[in-house]
Amino acid sequence: MKNVKILDCTLRDGGRIIDCRFPDDEIRDLASRLASARIDIIEVGFLRDWHKVVFNGGSTFFTGTDQISPYIDKSKGHSMYVAFVDYGMFDIDSLSFHDGTSIDGIRLGFTHKNYQEDRAGVISWAQKIKDKGYKLFIQGVNSLSYTDKELLEVVDMVNEIHPYSYGIVDTYGAMYAEDVDRLYGLLDRNLLSDICIDFHSHNNYQLSFALAQEIIKLSEFGEREVIIDATLGGMGKVAGNLNTELIADYLVRKKLYDYDLDVILDCFDDYIYKYSLSYKWGYSIPALMAGIYQSHPNNVIYLTEKFRLDSKDIGKILSMIDPATRQRYDYDNIERLYIEYNSGKVDDSDALGELNDMIGGREVVVLVPGASLNTEREKVDAYIANTDAFIISVNFVADSPDVHAFFGNQKRYGLLKSKRVGRGVIISSNVKSDTDTDIIVNYNSLIDRGYKYFENSTMMLLNLLRRLDIKKIAIAGFDGFDSDKGNYADQSFQNDRHKSEFETLNAEISDMFGKYEKMLEGKCDISFITPSRFDKQGK
């Protein structure tokens, strides 16, 4: 069974890199040639609100379906023509009835925020499109932003609306094969069988072609039709899209479909190639960063073009943007974060070299200020006495003058000023040093802003040790947080105001530490001297 359809969205999603400013003859000829190549579905552009957009030709930002009619030849082949509507960005009441002279279908895109805040409105728009006689394609933007439970709720809504298709949308090019397997399986088991599953990807990880093949393979276990979105030459913002010519060639060679690859290649040579000379898309490190952080491409473009940042710095600044905000773009916010980021950025290569020399390949013992440092004091002292370890305390100054103190917290650093005199001190660059003897390491390299409590000083120190040549780490006092008892060896650390956050804090540290252990597996031996809720081996 030939259950796969190609949807070419060059004139819409591909066109975003040129603000959809295609000449009229080009729009008309591309649509005609794609139909001649037997592409199943041709997306000719956006429908936008006529109150805000003026259509004068030379663009695929249309404000009415009648404007699209001159660009498509309905007598050529059996291709379906569609346009894309973003929820809230079109005057849905101005949509004319389908009369067979213009587009056949409308793709309705909505965000997770749209769905949460105005589900009824999304349903209303979808129903109006169907009532006007168009095939309805529903595209829930950024499928990865939904939990499985939320996605099942969306599926219930989609089944009730009963559109032509529903999309798995990799808006930020952040999917791996396991994501596709999970999402397709969830949809295939719960979506009505006559609703197509559409797959729209971006190529940030260079996986679009592989993931499209995965979708096709998964679809072969059932009767469901699938739609694969693509653009000529992969044309699109930043990383671009799946290449139409690649997926068409695959289906011709491997599945015996009858797309005309020669016509498709001519489309690229005659029209798209010239854009590739003036506009860059495809794999790049900034595109990778946009995928990792699921960020709107405009954020990446702005950081790249205005600040000319190193690639790692782009990633760090993207991580500073709240995940929901990251999916939009706010240039004022980016500039503020750029200034904040650079205020804490230091070149710590000399500091790392100094630390490596000081440690000299020895085991490192990390003393965390948990209550077990007191209750298990003899055990900790005996361990240290029996090893030639380099010892580092976290946010406190130990009794022994041989112990170095690490501070990732400005308050603890300031409170212990007198105790720090004459001691070896390491600080992260977010802490303002009051002496020229501190060893300062780059704060941004020690944190993972994907977590709410990314500034946990113990994890910051462990991340620092990961940057050094350490083969063995032993940890004491890394107890975790318990709302029913004191959590610190030094009661000045205790802050009962945050008891309500302990459960989340424990969960996040457990996740961070679990990933840390896996990352260093086989490279560094990590053990616990005292009991810890984060010690999976000891439980």
Side-chain angles (χ1 to χ4, degrees), residues 338-495:
Y338 170 77
I339 293 168
E340 179 185 332
Y341 171 74
N342 278 287
S343 67
K345 181 185 175 186
V346 298
D347 180 356
D348 60 5
S349 54
D350 289 342
L352 297 180
E354 183 180 353
L355 286 170
N356 269 324
D357 290 342
M358 290 166 57
I359 295 169
R362 288 179 287 168
E363 174 183 354
V364 173
V365 170
V366 174
L367 301 179
V368 185
S372 64
L373 275 190
N374 287 339
T375 60
E376 305 278 341
R377 180 65 182 264
E378 290 185 5
K379 187 176 181 180
V380 175
D381 287 347
Y383 187 94
I384 292 173
N386 290 320
T387 182
D388 180 29
F390 186 86
I391 309 167
I392 309 176
S393 60
V394 179
N395 280 343
F396 75 98
V397 178
D399 295 336
S400 171
D402 295 328
V403 177
H404 281 68
F406 171 81
F407 291 94
N409 180 282
Q410 182 70 53
K411 181 179 179 180
R412 298 305 307 176
Y413 178 83
L415 287 172
L416 297 172
K417 182 173 183 178
S418 61
K419 288 189 175 183
R420 289 188 278 108
V421 176
R423 298 299 188 92
V425 175
I426 308 161
I427 63 172
S428 55
S429 57
N430 60 311
V431 175
K432 187 175 181 181
S433 178
D434 57 18
T435 175
D436 58 5
T437 59
D438 290 341
I439 299 174
I440 304 173
V441 293
N442 188 10
Y443 165 76
N444 294 294
S445 68
L446 308 182
I447 59 173
D448 181 348
R449 292 181 186 269
Y451 293 92
K452 180 179 179 180
Y453 299 101
F454 58 81
E455 283 192 323
N456 177 267
S457 293
T458 303
M459 289 307 307
M460 291 171 69
L461 173 58
L462 291 174
N463 284 326
L464 169 60
L465 297 180
R466 183 165 63 88
R467 301 178 68 203
L468 304 174
D469 300 325
I470 310 299
K471 303 301 181 187
K472 188 173 183 180
I473 300 171
I475 308 172
F478 196 23
D479 304 351
F481 297 89
D482 189 331
S483 58
D484 295 327
K485 63 182 182 180
N487 293 288
Y488 295 100
D490 181 344
Q491 287 306 304
S492 69
F493 278 77
Q494 192 71 27
N495 191 335

Side-chain angles (χ1 to χ4, degrees), residues 11-12 14-24 26-27 57-61 235 274-275 279:
L11 291 167
R12 199 271 306 178
R16 291 173 68 232
I17 199 169
I18 59 169
D19 199 28
C20 290
R21 293 190 302 269
F22 292 100
D24 289 340
E26 204 165 294
I27 300 169
S59 170
T60 54
F61 281 119
M235 182 180 183
K274 66 182 180 185
Y275 295 119
Y279 301 88

